[in-house]
Amino acid sequence: SGGGALARLSWSSASTPKAVVPRTSLFPKDLVPPGELDPARLPADARGLLGKYFRNAELAGRGIHRLDATVDFNWGGNAPGVRAIPADGFSVRWTGQLQVDKTDTYTFHTESDDGVRLWVNGQPLVDNWTEHATTEDKGALQLAAGQRYDVVLEYFDSGGDAVARLFWSSPAFGRTIVPQSRLWPKVIEGRGQKQ
């Protein structure tokens, strides 16, 4: 109400001294907790994109699914907060569908550190599958109101900072994170073959 302001959430255990709870152990209520999410058991009203997290930078092997409300992550040097996924050398494939309320040309912007690839409605819009500092890439596509379009966003982090964000813009609005209200999770396989 006045003067200094302070709020901290700490934890401790028999083997861990008191410390602030790290970001990697906290999850917003609208996200499914980390673990072995079964995509076939998602509720019909689930919103967001289905993230399949891999323990390597090649999108290879058995991944761990998580429902992410949006793709708006700056993990820094931390792990992505999914069980057994390392802080460096991991990859993610987000899949689902999006819907617009106005027929128009939409520009999709990715912000990534490191590699990123994006398909909307099967069209490749971004392909920057390289190691790089935080970089913006973009591509545009005409979309019709009321129709759902498949979305596949692939990402890898080789080391250091990790950033993955998906924005959009149109003649009617400026660049903003693609909102959860416009996203539906769906399993879409078969992308991500290195060229």
Side-chain angles (χ1 to χ4, degrees), residues 119-194:
W119 294 263
V120 177
N121 196 31
Q123 303 281 331
L125 298 183
V126 169
D127 186 0
N128 188 356
W129 202 248
T130 63
E131 294 182 22
H132 54 259
T134 302
T135 302
E136 179 181 350
D137 295 286
K138 60 187 175 180
L141 188 65
Q142 178 84 15
L143 300 178
Q147 182 176 334
R148 287 193 187 178
Y149 295 93
D150 286 350
V151 176
V152 178
L153 176 63
E154 295 180 338
Y155 166 79
F156 81 86
D157 170 64
S158 66
D161 287 341
V163 175
R165 291 191 170 109
L166 178 61
F167 301 86
W168 65 355
S169 63
S170 81
F173 61 86
R175 190 181 90 143
T176 185
I177 292 291
V178 179
Q180 181 182 19
S181 63
R182 294 292 173 192
L183 299 171
W184 288 263
K186 177 184 175 186
V187 175
I188 304 170
E189 299 289 352
R191 310 284 184 197
Q193 301 306 312
K194 276 198 171 182

Side-chain angles (χ1 to χ4, degrees), residues 32 37-46 50 67 185-186:
V32 175
L37 169 67
D38 179 358
R41 300 185 67 156
L42 284 169
D45 62 349
L50 188 61
L67 180 62
K186 177 184 175 186

Side-chain angles (χ1 to χ4, degrees), residues 95-114:
T95 61
Q97 295 182 313
L98 67 82
Q99 186 176 41
V100 299
D101 60 4
K102 180 182 177 187
T103 299
D104 214 331
T105 298
Y106 291 81
T107 300
F108 292 87
H109 312 252
T110 61
E111 199 173 89
S112 68
D113 177 351
D114 290 293

